[in-house]
Amino acid sequence: MNLKLFIDQAICSALTQAGAAEAPAVIKNSQRPEFGHYQANGVMGAAKRLGLNPRVLAGTIIEALDFPAAAKVEIAGPGFINIHLSAEFIAASLTELRQYSQLGVQSRVAETIVIDYSAPNLAKEMHIGHLRSTSIGDAAARSLEFQGHHVIRANHVGDWGAQFGSLLAYMDQLDTSGVALGSELKDLERFYMAASRLFKSDPEFAHRAREYVVRLQSGNPRCRALWQLFITESVKHCQAVYDKLNISLTPADIKAESDYNADLPVVVDELTSQGLITVSNGAKCVFLDEFTGKDGNPLPAMVQKSDGGYPYMASDIAAVRYRSQTLKTDRALYFVDARQRLHLSQLFSVAKQAGYITDTQDFRHLPFGVILKEDGKPFKTRDGADVKLIEVIDEAIARAFELVSTKNPELDAEQRHEIARVVGVGAIKYAELSKNRLTDYVFDWDTMLSFEGNTAPYLQYAYTRIRSVFRRADIDPSTLSGDILIQEPLEMQLGLKLLQFSETVDAVTEDYQANILCNYLFELAGLFMSFYEACPILKAAPEVTTSRLLIADLTAQVIQQGLDLLGIDTVEQM
Ligand code: ARG
């Protein structure tokens, strides 16, 4: 049950009864967990529209309100309504929560939702910048799936275009000189660097590289075979990163740029027959009034270059067409760097003009900022190269291993390695997800690996604390039966927080801000720690012990489920 919605509905129907039938839409509850109550803050707006005194309207609403779940409803300030839920209601709802699947998160009317995320360029290795789209998109996929939607993960990898020219020319050269390609390809980054160095320094090689692009695009079998070899290696590398990072993408989720090649001429034909194409300097472009450059001149969206080749925009239009017409998606979410804002808004506008996106379909760009070094500069190695993502993950795990070994030296090495993997990976992903998606953030090892503060290790540790209560008492929580009792203020606060898991997940998928869930889990764990200190669990009267064990177990379940929606694992001990 979404508690916020439940209260909202009660207030809205009271408002209707109070004679303000057209007003309910402005009623919103702002949740104030620090007071343990909800606040309706839309009464003032409604009163204004109706020409009434807000406190008077609030009084009328309270009189009309039929809401047994509340212990107290009062007018506050200029016309807010505060709703204090009763301890009985909270206790009964918590007891019920244990029977519900999914900890109260209700299934929605299932929509088909395409999530375009990760999408690295396969010419190079994944770098630290890919952490953003990959973790944020994966958390969105998991959360929407948890709500019952039909999620289609779309990894729109870049596997086509000019950069493959030098790679193929270089591969061919190595191959004919008897160098084993397989082992050379092990370090994709070095391979790419060597090829592009040659491209810059050797005009003859550069010329050949350009020819390879043409040969690849015209389907030359040898070029195709070399290209396939390279792509296979690169996909293997990406999958290794995903597996290590606990990202739910599989090779089957890849729908690469080149997969749309056959559709590209069709798209250009369709755009042409709709009269959308203008030829500008030999290139086929779509000009839309809404896009102009700094000089006021219209900005083109190019769909075919003057040499006949197709740019990034073309395969993206084909992808929209496929997602809309073949996948029949209701929504498509593009988790792509904010720097591609113009590209994506042109894409969606062109696709709407062409009728590829209909009025009922929601195609949306969910942008994000960049990752910065501690000095506020972009994250690069000393020689200006990108920092490999796999190395960042390995470093996180190594650092976590040090920490775990200091904290708990008596655990055997194998166990410490497993904990380090879960903690290290959790730390970097959580650092990513707990920030506002839109802002740039500074990557800081010490903060993200700290066991205090809003971090993955803190939450993972809170989880193990709860599990250790059960271990020490030798109780399997699934065998517990009895009712939850709410007596202490901290039980009330913690209980209310647990009931808010459902509305939190709903809030996350409203604007795909995973930090809402992170903040929630952080507050939940904090409340648990306070509860744990103030309310003895095992030393209380038997029915109180049972109730507190049930509350503790629900907390562990919510932390574990919440972290799982973020793509973060837990361990039983650390
Ligand atoms: N491969 C692109 C890049 O590395 C990102 C693709 C994002 N998705 C899309 N449909 N354009 O910049």
Side-chain angles (χ1 to χ4, degrees):
M1 172 177 65
N2 181 324
L3 207 51
K4 190 168 120 134
L5 217 63
F6 177 56
I7 297 171
D8 206 40
Q9 278 156 5
I11 297 275
C12 284
S13 78
L15 193 63
T16 311
Q17 276 183 44
E22 89 280 26
V26 296
I27 293 288
K28 284 218 172 69
N29 288 294
S30 75
Q31 153 201 351
R32 307 288 291 271
E34 66 273 32
F35 303 136
H37 68 236
Y38 281 76
Q39 190 170 69
N41 60 6
V43 180
M44 274 96 77
K48 201 166 172 198
R49 295 206 331 201
L50 295 165
L52 293 172
N53 174 317
R55 283 187 66 98
V56 172
L57 179 62
T60 320
I61 293 169
I62 291 178
E63 249 165 60
L65 189 66
D66 174 23
F67 197 57
K72 189 167 74 177
V73 182
E74 60 191 358
I75 307 177
F80 298 113
I81 298 178
N82 288 348
I83 300 110
H84 300 256
L85 297 169
S86 72
E88 297 73 36
F89 171 78
I90 291 178
S93 305
L94 285 172
T95 306
E96 240 172 61
L97 198 58
R98 284 184 54 85
Q99 326 304 327
Y100 288 145
S101 60
Q102 306 223 113
L103 297 159
V105 175
Q106 273 155 335
S107 281
R108 301 293 191 85
V109 177
E111 282 178 54
T112 299
I113 304 174
V114 168
I115 307 193
D116 183 315
Y117 72 108
S118 194
N121 184 341
L122 293 185
K124 295 183 176 194
E125 276 193 42
M126 289 181 78
H127 58 80
I128 187 166
H130 290 115
L131 189 58
R132 299 225 74 181
S133 172
T134 306
S135 352
I136 302 174
D138 205 47
R142 289 167 190 258
S143 304
L144 288 163
E145 236 161 25
F146 190 64
Q147 287 179 324
H149 292 298
H150 172 221
V151 169
I152 301 175
R153 291 166 174 75
N155 195 357
H156 189 81
V157 297
D159 67 340
W160 205 246
Q163 75 266 41
F164 286 92
S166 3
L167 284 172
L168 296 182
Y170 187 59
M171 282 173 85
D172 213 4
Q173 178 173 318
L174 289 180
D175 202 31
T176 43
S177 65
V179 178
L181 264 179
S183 68
E184 281 297 304
L185 280 173
K186 283 284 170 280
D187 190 337
L188 290 177
E189 198 64 18
R190 237 189 38 217
F191 195 90
Y192 178 80
M193 293 293 221
S196 53
R197 217 173 298 127
L198 266 180
F199 186 86
K200 280 182 207 131
S201 64
D202 179 349
E204 196 272 327
F205 179 86
H207 178 71
R208 232 175 335 126
R210 289 194 195 92
E211 278 176 1
Y212 271 84
V213 180
V214 179
R215 285 167 69 192
L216 173 68
Q217 293 186 339
S218 59
N220 172 292
R222 166 137 187 96
C223 272
R224 278 287 186 155
L226 286 172
W227 171 79
Q228 194 56 59
L229 192 66
F230 187 90
I231 295 298
T232 307
E233 261 325 298
S234 189
V235 165
K236 233 189 265 171
H237 157 79
C238 292
Q239 194 55 46
V241 170
Y242 297 148
D243 291 346
K244 214 169 218 180
L245 203 52
N246 190 16
I247 294 295
S248 61
L249 286 166
T250 69
D253 300 314
I254 291 179
K255 176 90 178 153
E257 282 183 30
S258 69
D259 288 329
Y260 297 101
N261 283 350
D263 300 338
L264 301 177
V266 184
V267 165
V268 172
D269 278 352
E270 288 178 357
L271 295 176
T272 308
S273 65
Q274 299 197 52
L276 287 167
I277 298 290
T278 308
V279 179
S280 167
N281 295 325
K284 293 186 178 166
C285 301
V286 180
F287 286 93
L288 295 175
D289 291 343
E290 56 195 292
F291 302 105
T292 49
K294 284 203 188 79
D295 51 8
N297 289 331
L299 276 180
M302 197 201 289
V303 295
Q304 191 171 17
K305 294 190 262 187
S306 56
D307 67 3
Y310 296 96
Y312 185 44
M313 179 61 83
S315 48
D316 248 333
I317 299 177
V320 168
R321 180 174 169 273
Y322 171 77
R323 292 166 184 182
S324 167
Q325 301 182 348
T326 307
L327 300 178
K328 306 216 178 320
T329 199
D330 297 300
R331 274 191 260 174
L333 310 173
Y334 288 65
F335 289 92
V336 183
D337 195 319
R339 288 170 290 194
Q340 295 195 31
R341 210 183 279 272
L342 175 65
H343 167 76
L344 289 165
S345 58
Q346 283 187 314
L347 168 67
F348 298 152
S349 290
V350 171
K352 275 181 197 151
Q353 285 281 321
Y356 295 152
I357 300 179
T358 64
D359 288 346
T360 57
Q361 289 172 315
D362 182 12
F363 275 66
R364 231 196 282 182
H365 177 204
L366 285 314
F368 46 82
V370 296
I371 304 179
L372 302 170
K373 266 195 314 203
E374 270 152 76
D375 58 7
K377 299 224 173 76
F379 219 110
K380 298 268 176 192
T381 60
R382 224 170 295 153
D383 50 4
D386 287 325
V387 177
K388 292 183 186 184
L389 184 49
I390 196 92
E391 287 173 4
V392 175
I393 304 170
D394 286 340
E395 180 164 355
I397 297 173
R399 283 174 182 257
F401 185 74
E402 287 300 311
L403 283 173
V404 172
S405 301
T406 327
K407 212 170 150 62
N408 218 339
E410 65 277 10
L411 290 176
D412 64 55
E414 199 187 321
Q415 215 174 350
R416 275 182 282 137
H417 277 295
E418 172 57 10
I419 298 170
R421 191 189 60 77
V422 170
V423 170
V425 166
I428 44 178
K429 283 171 98 175
Y430 194 89
E432 178 62 53
L433 295 164
S434 56
K435 309 292 184 312
N436 181 311
R437 168 166 55 74
L438 289 154
T439 51
D440 297 346
Y441 82 95
V442 173
F443 191 91
D444 177 33
W445 285 117
D446 293 335
T447 317
M448 69 178 77
L449 280 162
S450 168
F451 282 85
E452 271 146 52
N454 191 6
T455 65
Y458 171 74
L459 293 172
Q460 289 166 323
Y461 180 62
Y463 176 81
T464 61
R465 286 271 294 262
I466 303 175
R467 301 292 298 148
S468 81
V469 172
F470 287 94
R471 230 185 353 263
R472 273 187 284 126
D474 196 20
I475 293 170
D476 172 358
S478 66
T479 62
L480 285 172
S481 68
D483 287 338
I484 289 180
L485 317 166
I486 297 288
Q487 288 160 342
E488 301 296 326
L490 273 166
E491 289 176 324
M492 179 92 170
Q493 283 180 33
L494 177 59
L496 183 59
K497 198 81 198 169
L498 287 167
L499 293 177
Q500 289 166 340
F501 182 55
S502 165
E503 66 189 47
T504 303
V505 176
D506 288 353
V508 168
T509 56
E510 226 163 77
D511 191 35
Y512 314 100
Q513 287 280 17
N515 63 340
I516 296 177
L517 179 56
C518 297
N519 292 339
Y520 167 83
L521 293 172
F522 177 55
E523 285 168 10
L524 174 68
L527 282 172
F528 178 81
M529 296 298 195
S530 311
F531 157 83
Y532 186 62
E533 266 150 45
C535 308
I537 297 183
L538 299 174
K539 291 204 179 88
E543 73 277 12
V544 175
T545 291
T546 304
S547 165
R548 288 182 180 165
L549 283 170
L550 289 171
I551 293 175
D553 179 47
L554 269 175
T555 308
Q557 285 187 44
V558 171
I559 292 178
Q560 187 175 45
Q561 181 62 66
L563 285 175
D564 186 63
L565 295 182
L566 300 172
I568 297 173
D569 283 338
T570 46
V571 283
E572 292 298 301
Q573 211 178 336
M574 62 195 257

